[in-house]
């Protein structure tokens, strides 16, 4: 069964809006675990506009599920990850001022850089995933870096799914199959939702993990957080 990792950045955004500790990020993360999620994802950015460095340190000893930290591998980010030692680190190519992730790595053009980062994290016993577009050559290049997994950038799938689900899933199935053949685990994330997740999961049965934040938190405004987590988990069966 595919794991559901819930990205809690939006909870931190809401908390930061008032400058206080409401909602309490740690309490929400623990509730999400209790409601059935298999992991918690955070994406600390340099400006700390949502997740802060101290949030990451406070969360680590509290969580019982897998902890995934996403981010661009700057020296500051690397230092944070090596100190916290999460279950997984996901490397994304975002600029410091990026609103959200908008593309995967050009792995071939950054192969030496990524290989050196992967080596540092693997020496620390941290599973490493590289955020990529659904492209077979890119997946093969990611495998050559020594990474453990790739995370497929699924916004193109989400955009096309309403009008042509088969065309939407095709490149992702091919990329996931190539990853599996190369010995990589397959994660996925970005704009996956209750509308499109079940179809995606059913077509890629060897999917290890999905990381979902924005859509899940939006759904929780209407359904409640516990019911929302349960519905997302049901999509992954």
């Amino acid at each position: 069964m595919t794991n559901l990792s819930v990205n809690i950045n939006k909870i931190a955004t809401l908390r930061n809006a008032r400058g206080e500790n409401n909602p309490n990020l740690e309490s929400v993360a623990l509730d999400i675990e209790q409601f059935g999620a298999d992991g918690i994802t955070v994406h600390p950015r340099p400006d700390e506009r949502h997740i802060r460095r101290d949030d990451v340190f406070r969360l680590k000893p509290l969580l019982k599920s897998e902890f995934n930290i996403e981010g661009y591998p700057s020296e500051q980010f690397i230092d944070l990850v090596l100190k916290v030692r999460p279950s997984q680190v996901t490397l994304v190519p975002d600029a410091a001022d990026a609103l959200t992730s908008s593309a995967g790595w050009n792995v071939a053009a950054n192969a030496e850089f990524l290989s050196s980062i992967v080596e540092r994290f693997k020496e620390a016993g941290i599973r490493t995933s590289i955020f990529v577009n659904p492209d077979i050559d890119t997946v093969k290049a990611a495998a050559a870096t020594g990474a453990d997994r790739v995370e497929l950038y699924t916004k193109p799938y989400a955009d096309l799914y309403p009008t042509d689900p088969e065309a939407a899933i095709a490149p992702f199935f091919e990329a996931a199959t190539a990853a599996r053949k190369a010995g990589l685990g397959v994660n996925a994330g970005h704009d996956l939702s209750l509308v499109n997740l079940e179809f995606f999961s059913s077509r890629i049965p060897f999917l290890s993990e999905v990381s979902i934040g924005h859509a899940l938190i939006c759904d929780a405004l209407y359904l409640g957080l516990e019911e929302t987590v349960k519905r997302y988990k049901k999509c992954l069966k």
Side-chain angles (χ1 to χ4, degrees), residues 153-164 168 172 190-191 196:
Y153 171 58
T154 48
K155 179 172 172 54
Y157 163 78
D159 289 344
L160 185 55
Y161 174 82
T163 56
D164 195 340
F172 290 87
H190 208 93
D191 285 1
N196 59 44

Side-chain angles (χ1 to χ4, degrees), residues 159-182:
D159 289 344
L160 185 55
Y161 174 82
T163 56
D164 195 340
E166 295 295 341
I169 197 65
F172 290 87
F173 177 79
E174 293 173 359
T177 301
R180 192 182 189 198
K181 289 180 179 178

Side-chain angles (χ1 to χ4, degrees), residues 6 32 40 51 62-64 76 81 83 90 118 126 132 138-139 141 148 154 160 166 182 188 195 198 209 224:
V6 177
I32 289 171
I40 298 294
I51 294 294
L62 299 176
L63 298 177
K64 299 178 178 63
Q76 183 183 45
V81 172
K83 287 178 178 176
T90 302
V118 169
I126 303 168
V132 299
T138 300
V139 167
D148 301 290
T154 48
L160 185 55
E166 295 295 341
V195 172
E198 185 173 4
E209 174 188 292

